[in-house]
Amino acid sequence: MNYQDWYTDRMDVHRITAGLDGALTVHKRELVAEDVPCRIYRAGAHGPRMQPTAAYTESEDKLACANSVDVRAGDELLIRRGGGLGERRPVIRAFAGDPVYYHEPFGAVMPGLAHQEIGLLQKEYVEGAAGEEDGNGAG
């Protein structure tokens, strides 16, 4: 069995890098890897949450991918669910936590299980209804 076939999602990895603009240090978000095979699995999801100023959604997902992928805490991940299968779904934007590596045990009975797991931070503010002019719902 090839467990790499389980990675039906695809992600692009963006990282903050520092550079010079004259004498100033500037930080830019740059693409460091694209179309990386991965798989999101859900550890916990919540419905929309309300605040006085805006509603937001939040989830506690995890992502699995090969150990060879360079993902660091704080990287921005743009994940396409079913991207490896040609599916067209909305892109999920999340930020990576510290990767946890699981290495292949020597003499493994079922080879191909080595992977890394990455906790994801995903918090997005919910957009208002169409035609809404102010924050009170009055058009």
Side-chain angles (χ1 to χ4, degrees), residues 80-121:
R80 295 174 304 283
R81 298 299 311 262
L85 303 173
E87 296 288 331
R88 302 270 185 231
R89 305 241 185 256
V91 173
I92 296 169
R93 178 178 173 254
F95 292 91
D98 286 321
V100 177
Y101 297 95
Y102 295 94
H103 300 284
E104 191 73 40
F106 179 74
V109 175
M110 295 175 58
L113 294 176
H115 67 286
Q116 62 179 303
E117 291 182 1
I118 301 162
L120 302 177
L121 168 64

Side-chain angles (χ1 to χ4, degrees), residues 55-58 92-95 121-127:
Y56 67 92
T57 60
E58 192 173 43
I92 296 169
R93 178 178 173 254
F95 292 91
L121 168 64
Q122 183 184 355
K123 185 173 182 178
E124 297 290 341
Y125 288 93
V126 178
E127 295 181 23

